[in-house]
Amino acid sequence: MKYVYLFSEGTGKMRELLGGKGANLAEMTNLGLPVPQGFTVSTEACTRYYEDGESINAEITAQIEEYLKKLEGITGKKFGDAANPLLVSVRSGSRASMPGMMDTILNLGLNDEVTEGLATLTNNPRFAYDSHRRFIQMFSDVVMELPKSRFEVIIDEMKKEKGVRLDVELDADDMKALVQRFKAFYKEQKGASFPEDPRAQLIEAVKAVFRSWNNPRAVTYRRMNDISSSWGTAVNVQSMVFGNMGEDSGTGVAFTRNPATGERKLYGEFLMNAQGEDVVAGIRTPQGIDRLASVMPEVYGQFTKIADTLEKHYRDMQDMEFTIEKGKLYMLQTRSGKRTAAAALKIAVDLVSEGMRTKEEAVLMVEPKQLDALLHPQFEPAALNAAQALTSGLPASPGAACGAICFTAEEAKALSKSGPVLLVRQETSPEDIEGMAAAQGILTARGGMTSHAAVVARGMGTCCVAGCSEISVSEAGKTLTCNGKVLKQGDFMSIDGSTGKVYVGKLPTIEAQISGDFDVFMGWADELRTLKIRTNADTPADAAKAVEFGAEGIGLCRTEHMFFEADRIMPFREMIASETTEQRKKALEKIEDMQRADFEGIFAAMDGLPVTIRFLDPPLHEFLPQDEDGMKELAGAMGFTLERMRSIVNSLHEINPMLGNRGVRLAVMYPEIAEMQTRAVINGAINAQRKGVKVLPEIMIPLVCEAKELKLVKDIVVSTAEAVMAAEGVKIDYLVGTMIEVPRAALTADEIAKEAEFFSFGTNDLTQMAYALSRDDAGPVLETYFAAKIFESDPTARFDRAGTGKLVKMAVELGRAARPDIKLGVCGEHGGDPSSIEFFHGVGLAYVSCSPFRVPIARLAAAQAAVKSKE
Amino acid sequence: MKYVYLFSEGTGKMRELLGGKGANLAEMTNLGLPVPQGFTVSTEACTRYYEDGESINAEITAQIEEYLKKLEGITGKKFGDAANPLLVSVRSGSRASMPGMMDTILNLGLNDEVTEGLATLTNNPRFAYDSHRRFIQMFSDVVMELPKSRFEVIIDEMKKEKGVRLDVELDADDMKALVQRFKAFYKEQKGASFPEDPRAQLIEAVKAVFRSWNNPRAVTYRRMNDISSSWGTAVNVQSMVFGNMGEDSGTGVAFTRNPATGERKLYGEFLMNAQGEDVVAGIRTPQGIDRLASVMPEVYGQFTKIADTLEKHYRDMQDMEFTIEKGKLYMLQTRSGKRTAAAALKIAVDLVSEGMRTKEEAVLMVEPKQLDALLHPQFEPAALNAAQALTSGLPASPGAACGAICFTAEEAKALSKSGPVLLVRQETSPEDIEGMAAAQGILTARGGMTSHAAVVARGMGTCCVAGCSEISVSEAGKTLTCNGKVLKQGDFMSIDGSTGKVYVGKLPTIEAQISGDFDVFMGWADELRTLKIRTNADTPADAAKAVEFGAEGIGLCRTEHMFFEADRIMPFREMIASETTEQRKKALEKIEDMQRADFEGIFAAMDGLPVTIRFLDPPLHEFLPQDEDGMKELAGAMGFTLERMRSIVNSLHEINPMLGNRGVRLAVMYPEIAEMQTRAVINGAINAQRKGVKVLPEIMIPLVCEAKELKLVKDIVVSTAEAVMAAEGVKIDYLVGTMIEVPRAALTADEIAKEAEFFSFGTNDLTQMAYALSRDDAGPVLETYFAAKIFESDPTARFDRAGTGKLVKMAVELGRAARPDIKLGVCGEHGGDPSSIEFFHGVGLAYVSCSPFRVPIARLAAAQAAVKSKE
C-alpha cells in the first residue's frame, strides 16, 4: 500500500488522498510553478494510524524514510547533515479546509549541530540560532503541548536582562543562549531532553498532525460543517525556503480578488526579512502587496503572472502564500480563498460574466448558510476576534445581538422601550411570545435546535442561542450564573446565534445588507432548482415577509401559534379546559372569528400561492396555566372554582406530552374543533376570494398514525366545507392531506395515501420518534454523544439519512404507489437545512418549507442539489 | 351477486359467508337431521348494507322475497296467510360465536289476522295470542329499541287486575287483551302503529341484525377477542316449530359432554310446553336431560343418536338446541360448545385418546388465554353472573380479587396483615412495590396495558385492573368516587383482571387449580412448537416460578427492578443524584454487591438455561424522590443540603422522560455504571459456576438507536469482563446484544448487527414510538379510538402487524443479512399475547419472553402458531 507521494506524483484531483493543500502543491508543481519540493503522507495513513490504535506502523515509517531520501535527491541537501542540511516544514491538510487543526511547524531538521552548520553555510549565525529557537518553540507547542507563551516569558526575561524592547534587537549570541534556555525549560517541564534526532522530530510531527484531526476544536468544526470524521488528514512535508535571510528575502499572503468585497484586484500583504509567523504575530506591520512592485519589480511581475495563472487554472479566487529567498520567488501554497458572503456573491456573479464559470458552477460557489450573514446582523469581525466567549450553546437562530439581559417576558417588553434587550430563560413557553418579539436576542439554558425558543426565534428572524447548559438562570433572583460569573438584570451580554457563542458586555454589530448581486445570483438558483420552496408562517406579516424572501407558498401554518398572544390565549385555554361540548363550542366560537380573519389575511398575502394550514396540534401542557394566578384567571373566565380548575389541569397532565393527546387525536375526541377550523378556513377563503384574491387552501391533519383516523377527520372537513360553500353559494378548490410525522404513518403510507391528497413530512417529530429522543430533553444526551463521537451532527438540525431517511423513502414509495399524483413536501425544521434539502431533492419531493429567513438558503440549497444530481 | 342461501344450498365449510349458525344449519340439513328449513342472508349482504350507508338495497330485498317463496314451497305454508301461516324465527350468526349481538326474534309473521288463523288452525287460542304478544314484545325490544321490561309492566298490571300471580294463569282472552294493550303502548311510544305487514317485519328484523353487528357490546367483544369488524354477520330465517303447543311439546338445550368438567356424558336440560325464552327466563325450573328418557323415551333415543352423530361429525363437543313439537323432534342449532378451561383441556386430551383428533388438532382446541383461569383465582360464575359492575378498566393482569380497599402502599402493607386488600392508586410507581406485593389486587385510575402497575402486576401474577378512568381517587381523603358512589378505605371491592370489571362488595372467588390433563396437553404443545419460551424475571424467586411454568430461559431481567424495594432504593437514588464520578462510584459499590448476589441467585435458578440481563434502563423520574420528605432523606444520605438536592432533582426533570436520558444513554454518559454491572454479572456467574451451576449470561444493552453507541458500551463490557475473568482465572461464555426498541435501531439493524450477537425486540417501546403514543398517557386516546372504531385492538397489548410489524420484519432481514447466526427474540409485553406470538413465529424469531404467569399461554400459542403455519 502506497502511503506517501512526491508533489510531482500527485494532481489537483487527488484531494481525498492528499488533502487540499497536498493536491494543490502537486498541481502547482505540475503547472511548472516554483514550488519548494516535498512529499505528502496521505489521508489513508491517517486512517491507518487510528485503526492501529493511534500509532504509525513500520510500513508507513519506512515509506516516509524512502521519500525523505528522494527529497534529498531532488534538493541536493541531506536531512540532519550539518554540512548541507535539508530543513522541512510540516503541515496538516485535509480534504476540506479546516481551521482548528494543527499549526505549521517550520525549520524541522534543526538541532545544535545542524544549526552550527547552517550558521556557517549562510554565514548568518543570528538567522541560524533564531531559526533554531523558533523551531523549538513551535515543536514544543504543537507536538508536545507545551504552550508557546511559556517560552515567550523566557524571551521577555532575556530582553529585560539585555535592556532591549524588540526581538530584532537580540543578537546572535542572545539567540544562541535562548536556544539553551529553551531546551533547559523543555527538559524541566517534560522530564526528557528535547529530541535532537531530526528523524524522530519528523515522525513525532507527523503523529501530532494525525492527533490534531481529533482535537476538540476540529471535532466541533467538523460537526458544524458536515465534515465526516472518517476522512482523516494528510501531512505535507516540504523543503524549507527562508524569507528571513536578509533584505532580499521576504514572505507574504495574497488573494487574487478582495475576499471582503469580491473586487477583482490583487489583495494581500508582505513582510521583508521575515518568516510566515511574523506576519501573523503582528509585531511588524506588513506592507500592501502593491508595494512589492516598487520593492522587487521583477518578483512582483512574476507573482502577478502566477496569480493570474492560478486563478484561471482553478477558475476561482485564490488565496496564496509565497516566500522570497534571496530574490527568488517560491509558491508555498494556493487554495480557493475564504470570502465574506458579499464577496462570494460578487465573485460568483463576476466569474460568470467573465466567462470563467457557468451559472451551474457559480451557484455551487456560495455556501447556502453564508447567506445568513446577508440577512441578519453580525458582530464586527475585529471585535469578535478580540472577544473571549463566556460560554456557548446551540446556534439556534442566526444573527448577532447585544442587549440588557432580563429574565421574564414582561421585563423584556418593559425594558425594550428604553433600549435593546436579551431575553434569558430556562426555556421559553408560548406565554413568552411577546417578550421574545420585543427582544433583540433570546438565550435559553435548556432545549435543542427544535425547542420552542429555537423554532419561534427562527420564525421571527430573531437571533437565538439555545440549550446553553453551562448557564444557570434564577428567575426569582433575577440573575444568571455561568462559570463563576454572576450577571444581573440590566447587565449587557452579546450572543451569536450563528456560532452559539455567548459574551459578556457589548459587542458592536453590523446591520444585514443585501447587495445587488444577490438578486442576480438567486435568480440563477431559482432557474436551476426543481424543488419548490415554501415557508412556515402563522400570521399575515410572516407570510408577507416570506414572499419577499421568495417563498412560493406556505408549507406550514400552525394554527395554535395564532394563540400565543396574550389577548388570544384565554379563549384557547377555555377550549382546552372545557368539560362539556357546549363549553367547548362557546370557546371555539370566539376562536373561530380570530382564525377566519387570520386566514383571510394570510390568503391575501399569498395571493395565488398555496397555503397549507395545519389543524390544531397544541401539546396541551404548553397551553394550560401551571401557576396559581393563571388558574385563577382561567377559572374566573369559565365560571369554575379554583379547585375545579386545578382538578381539570391535573387531569390533563401528561407524563410524556409529546406522546400524548394532541394533533389529530384532539379532532377525533372533539370533532367540533375540526368543524370550527374548517369553517374558519373556508369562510376565510371565501372572503378573500370575494376581494379578488386567488386562494389555494390545503388543510393538513397532523400526527396521523392510522388511515382510519385521517378518514374520520377528513369526512368531517369535507362535509363541513361543503355545507359552508353551499350556504355561501361559492366554490373553493381545496385539498385535504396529512403530515407524515409518526413512524407508523410512514410504515402504512399506502393506506394513508388513499385518504390524503398530499403528504407533508414533519421531520421534527419523525426524528424524535425514530430516535426516541425528545427535542426538549435532548440537550445532555447530544452533548455526551458529540463528545463520544457517536453523533457527528445533531439529527434535529441535519436530517438523518441512514435511519429516519428510510422512513421517508418508504413513505414516498408507498404513497406514490397508492396515489401516483400525491403531492409531497417537508415542513419540519430540516426544510431549511442545505444537507437535508439535498436528501429531500434526491427522494423526489415537490417542495420543502422553512422559516421565512431561511427561504433564500433553501432556494440556493435546492439549486445546488439539482446541479449536483445532474452531475 | 347471490346474497341468500337455502339451508340445503350451504355446507359446514361456508362459515365466512353464512356465519357459524347458518353453516351448521346447512350441515345438519345435509346430514339428514330434522331441521326446520329456512334460508340465510349472507355476511356479504351485511357488508353491502354498511357500504350502502346502512340500508338494504333492492337486489337483496328481491332475493329475500324469492327465498321466502322457496321456503313456502318447502314448508307448504304461506307467509302472512291466515289460513296456513308460515312463521319464522330471525337470528344473527357471525363467523365466530359472538355474544352481544342481536337476540332471537321468534314467531315473526304474526299479526292480528294471522293470529286468528293460528288460533283456529291449532285449535289453541291461548297459544296463538300468547305467541302474538311474545312476538310484539321481542320485536319491539330487539328491532325498535323499546325494552321488553316496559311490556312486563303491562303484564304485571294485567295479573294484578286478574288477581293472579303467574303468566300461565292468564287465559286466552287475557292474552288477546294483552296484545291490544301492547300495540297501544307501542303506538304511544313510537308514534306509529306496530307493523302488521309480515314482509315489513322481516326486512326490519334483518336490518336490526345488521345494525346489531356494530352495537357497543359487540364492538367491545370483538376488540377483546380479535374479531375483525369487516367480517359482518349473517341472518338466519328459519320456519318456526313450537315447543309450547301442549304437553307433547317442549324445548331444550344440551351438550354432548359436560362443559364445566369435560366429562363424556350428555349434559343439558329441557322444559315441556315451552318456548326457548322460557328456559332462559327461569320462572319454571327445567329438568335434567336424563329425565327426557322417561318422559319421551323415543324422542330421547333419537336425540342421543343425533348428539352422537353430530359430535362424531364435528369431532368436538356440541352445544345443541332442540324443540319437540307435538312429539316430533327438531334440531334448531348445533355448535361447538363453550367450555371452561378445565373442560377444554379434558375434552382435547380425551378426543385424542378416543382417536377422534390428532395432537395437532387437539392443541388448537384450547384458547391460550383460557389457561389463565387455571393459573389464577376466578370469581364464582354464579356470583359473577348476578353481580352488577360499578365500572370497568383495562384487563391488565388476569385473575379475580376481593379485598378492603386502601390508597397507599403503606396502608396496603399494614392492612394486609388482618385480611385481603386491594390497592387503589391514581397510578403506581416503584415506591409502591411492597404494597403491590401485599395486595390481592391492584386497581389504577390511569395507565395502559403496559403501565407500571400492569407490568409489575403481571410479573407478580397479581390481578390488576388499570386505567379505570371513571374512578377518581383521593389519596388525601382516602376515598374513591365513581359514578356517584363514594367508597372509603376499608370498604370491600372486587376486581376481575381478566375482564377489567370492577364491583362493589365481596364476590366469592375460587382458587386456581391445575388438573392432570394440563401436563399431558402442554407436553403436546411443547412437542409441536418451534419457538422457545423465556420469561421476564428480575429475582431468583420469579425465575424459579417461571421454570415451574416451563420457561426455557430468562429473556429479560430488568436490573433496575431489583431496586424497587425500600431497603435498596436509597443507593440507587444516590447513584442517580450523584454530581461527580466519585459520588456515583461510591453509590455503585453498594449496588454492585446486591446485584452480584441477585445474579448469582438467578443463575442458580436457571441452571443450564440462558439468562438475558438488561443493563440499567430507569426512566429517571420514576426513581427520584418527588416529595419533600424523600428529598430530605436522600439529601441526608448524600450529605447534601435540601436546597442542593432540590436543584439536582430539578435539573434531572425531563419533559418527556420516555424520550429522555435513559437506557444506553446513561451508560454512555456514565461508563462506570456499565463497568459495575458487567463486574456484577461476570462475578455472579463465576460464583455460581464454582458451585457447579451451568451459566449462560447474555448482556443486553437497551434503547440503542445507533451502532456506534452500542459499540462504545460493548467495548466497555468486553474489557471489563476480560479483566474480571483474568483476575479470577475463570472463563465464562457470554453474549453481548441489544434491544431493538427504538425505530431507528430497526431501520439501521444491519449496522447494529455488526456489534450485536443478539437482538431482543422491545415491542413495548417500539410500539410507543411507532404510534407516538405513551403507555402512560394512552388511556383517553385509546378509549376515544375504540369508540370511533379507529383501533380494533390495543396495540400495546396486541402487536400491530401492519405498521410496527414492518419495523420488526425489516430488522430481522437486515440483522440476518449482516450476521446470519444472530439470535432473535422478543421481550416486550407482546411476548405473552397469542396473536402477537403467531406473528413472531411467522417472522422466524427464536424465542419470546413473557412474565412467568404467561409462560404456559405462550407455550400453547407458540404450538398453535407452529401447527397453523404447517397447514
Side-chain angles (χ1 to χ4, degrees), chain B residues 714-746:
Chain B
K714 187 188 169 186
D715 288 349
I716 295 170
V717 169
V718 170
S719 64
T720 307
E722 294 300 325
V724 170
M725 294 190 296
E728 297 288 330
V730 177
K731 177 100 188 86
I732 300 282
D733 282 324
Y734 66 98
L735 300 180
V736 183
T738 185
M739 286 183 80
I740 301 287
E741 58 182 335
V742 175
R744 193 175 186 276

Side-chain angles (χ1 to χ4, degrees), chain A residues 446 650 655-659 665 669 709 742-744 747 769-772 774 777 784-785 800 803 806 810, chain B residues 446 650 655-659 665 669 709 742-744 747 769-772 774 777 784-785 800 803 806 810:
Chain A
R446 285 228 191 123
N650 187 39
I655 295 179
N656 297 288
M658 286 306 299
L659 307 175
R665 295 164 190 173
M669 196 172 278
E709 65 186 341
V742 175
R744 194 176 186 276
L747 294 163
M769 305 305 162
Y771 278 86
S774 145
D777 306 303
T784 306
Y785 274 45
D800 158 49
K806 279 197 195 166
M810 197 182 300
Chain B
R446 285 226 190 124
N650 186 40
I655 296 179
N656 298 287
M658 287 304 300
L659 306 175
R665 294 162 191 174
M669 195 171 277
E709 65 185 341
V742 175
R744 193 175 186 276
L747 295 163
M769 304 306 162
Y771 278 86
S774 145
D777 307 302
T784 307
Y785 274 46
D800 158 48
K806 279 196 195 168
M810 197 182 299

Side-chain angles (χ1 to χ4, degrees), chain A residues 677-859:
Chain A
Q677 291 207 286
T678 305
R679 283 194 305 272
V681 169
I682 301 296
N683 277 318
I686 290 173
N687 291 351
Q689 187 168 285
R690 281 180 177 149
K691 290 176 185 157
V693 171
K694 185 162 182 218
V695 294
L696 296 166
E698 302 176 344
I699 290 175
M700 179 159 76
I701 312 299
L703 212 77
V704 163
C705 72
E706 155 64 46
K708 285 183 194 161
E709 65 186 341
L710 176 59
K711 176 165 175 23
L712 186 147
V713 176
K714 185 186 171 188
D715 288 349
I716 295 170
V717 169
V718 170
S719 64
T720 307
E722 294 299 325
V724 171
M725 294 190 296
E728 298 287 329
V730 178
K731 177 98 187 87
I732 300 282
D733 282 325
Y734 67 97
L735 300 180
V736 183
T738 185
M739 286 182 81
I740 301 288
E741 57 182 334
V742 175
R744 194 176 186 276
L747 294 163
T748 61
D750 44 352
E751 290 301 317
I752 289 174
K754 290 181 193 157
E755 302 299 334
E757 292 171 294
F758 63 87
F759 284 171
S760 179
F761 289 95
T763 54
N764 295 356
D765 275 19
L766 201 58
T767 300
Q768 292 190 79
M769 305 305 162
Y771 278 86
L773 188 58
S774 145
R775 67 181 195 191
D776 302 307
D777 306 303
V781 176
L782 288 178
E783 272 176 42
T784 306
Y785 274 45
F786 290 149
K789 298 198 200 84
I790 292 170
F791 287 171
E792 291 193 352
S793 61
D794 176 353
T796 66
R798 184 188 182 195
F799 188 67
D800 158 49
R801 300 177 183 200
T804 324
K806 279 197 195 166
L807 287 175
V808 170
K809 275 190 198 156
M810 197 182 300
V812 166
E813 282 160 22
L814 292 172
R816 284 226 174 95
R819 184 188 287 262
D821 66 342
I822 193 165
K823 207 163 170 180
L824 301 169
V826 165
C827 65
E829 287 294 315
H830 300 101
D833 170 65
S835 154
S836 310
I837 288 170
E838 189 178 346
F839 174 80
F840 298 135
H841 172 87
V843 297
L845 302 192
Y847 70 86
V848 298
S849 186
C850 56
S851 52
F853 284 86
R854 281 187 167 186
V855 167
I857 296 173
R859 286 159 65 197

Side-chain angles (χ1 to χ4, degrees), chain A residues 785, chain B residues 556-557 559-560 613-618 662-668 677 699-706 709-710 713 737-742 745 760 762 765 827:
Chain A
Y785 274 45
Chain B
L556 179 62
C557 171
T559 50
E560 66 282 358
I613 292 164
R614 182 177 74 183
F615 272 15
L616 283 177
D617 185 16
R662 60 192 190 99
V664 65
R665 294 162 191 174
L666 280 179
V668 172
Q677 291 208 285
I699 290 176
M700 179 159 76
I701 312 299
L703 212 77
V704 163
C705 72
E706 157 64 47
E709 65 185 341
L710 176 58
V713 176
T738 185
M739 286 183 80
I740 301 287
E741 58 182 335
V742 175
S760 178
D765 274 21
C827 65

Side-chain angles (χ1 to χ4, degrees), chain B residues 40 63 144 218 238 260 284 330 346 374 376 380 385 493 523 541 551 566 591 607 614 619 647 762 766 792 801 842 859:
Chain B
T40 304
Q63 288 189 25
M144 306 307 291
Q238 188 172 23
R284 288 158 59 197
Y330 291 95
K346 181 166 168 51
L374 302 177
H376 302 280
E380 276 182 13
N385 279 335
M493 292 183 78
I591 293 176
D607 191 3
R614 182 177 74 183
S647 133
L766 201 59
E792 291 193 353
R801 301 177 183 201
R859 286 160 64 197

Side-chain angles (χ1 to χ4, degrees), chain A residues 509-526:
Chain A
T509 56
I510 43 179
E511 279 311 294
Q513 41 193 194
I514 291 184
S515 74
D517 297 311
F518 183 83
D519 289 338
V520 175
F521 182 81
M522 292 306 293
W524 296 341
D526 291 343

Side-chain angles (χ1 to χ4, degrees), chain B residues 151-169:
Chain B
F151 294 94
E152 294 296 337
V153 172
I154 299 171
I155 300 178
D156 286 345
E157 280 168 9
M158 170 73 88
K159 287 195 282 192
K160 222 170 178 177
E161 286 168 26
K162 306 291 289 186
V164 301
R165 214 176 50 83
L166 295 176
D167 292 11
V168 287
E169 295 173 277

